Amino acid sequence: MDWNHYRFRSLWPLPAPAPDVYRALERIEDYPRWWPQVREVTRLDDTSGVLRFRSLLPYELTATVREGRRDPAAGVLEVAMSGDMEGWARWTVAPHGTTTLVRYDQEVVVNKPLLRRLAVPGRPLFRANHRLMMRAGRQGLAAHLAGGRPAV
């Protein structure tokens, strides 16, 4: 087993129409406005940017993301990631009754030296840190879509 390899999946039920959710998710430069752990986004061009993340644990990750797939009809946004994390991430947005269900999938290998050294003992904490980040992202996006401020 590669202790630096992670697969994540999160489901976000959101009380907003799917097209609104998709539009919010494709505007990656706005993520810091509603997702507290996305500290900074620097656009490189129309299809790539550099993101800086920090959740509860005292480390920061930086990744360059490049658009891999943008398919509004299928509700899919996918990026390739490099930097402190190497791999991919995908949003899938689908109507679910009167709400929307967002599925986030990510598969990465962590390259940051400190996290690689702490891979075995730190893995449960790293996974918990990711869950906290995703929960805050769902709450922040729900508030953003409702026109409010995210709960911190």
Side-chain angles (χ1 to χ4, degrees):
M1 174 177 187
D2 181 354
W3 290 97
N4 293 295
H5 180 259
Y6 291 87
R7 284 188 182 137
F8 297 108
R9 175 173 293 155
S10 298
L11 297 175
W12 293 6
L14 293 167
D20 294 351
V21 174
Y22 187 90
R23 279 191 297 276
L25 290 172
E26 72 181 344
R27 294 189 47 82
I28 198 165
E29 63 275 5
D30 289 345
Y31 282 26
R33 293 181 184 168
W34 54 264
W35 199 340
Q37 293 79 11
V38 179
R39 301 300 172 98
E40 182 179 29
V41 174
T42 304
R43 273 278 187 192
L44 298 175
D45 55 36
D46 288 344
T47 61
S48 64
V50 177
L51 281 73
R52 190 170 53 85
F53 311 90
R54 179 161 181 206
S55 192
L56 185 63
L57 294 176
Y59 63 83
E60 196 171 89
L61 296 172
T62 302
T64 299
V65 297
R66 298 195 188 292
E67 185 178 300
R69 180 177 175 202
R70 182 187 294 221
D71 186 345
V76 175
L77 291 165
E78 186 171 310
V79 296
M81 304 172 79
S82 60
D84 289 339
M85 297 175 290
E86 189 89 25
W88 58 270
R90 179 187 316 116
W91 296 108
T92 306
V93 178
H96 187 73
T98 59
T99 64
T100 297
L101 184 61
V102 176
R103 178 174 153 171
Y104 178 80
D105 293 288
Q106 182 181 37
E107 187 167 344
V108 293
V109 172
V110 174
N111 293 326
K112 190 171 184 94
L114 173 65
L115 300 185
R116 291 183 69 81
R117 282 192 298 277
L118 297 173
V120 174
R123 189 172 180 89
L125 289 173
F126 300 157
R127 293 186 70 78
N129 198 53
H130 186 270
R131 279 192 303 278
L132 290 171
M133 178 177 171
M134 296 307 290
R135 183 174 62 192
R138 180 185 50 79
Q139 293 169 344
L141 182 55
H144 175 74
L145 291 164
R149 305 252 323 133
V152 178

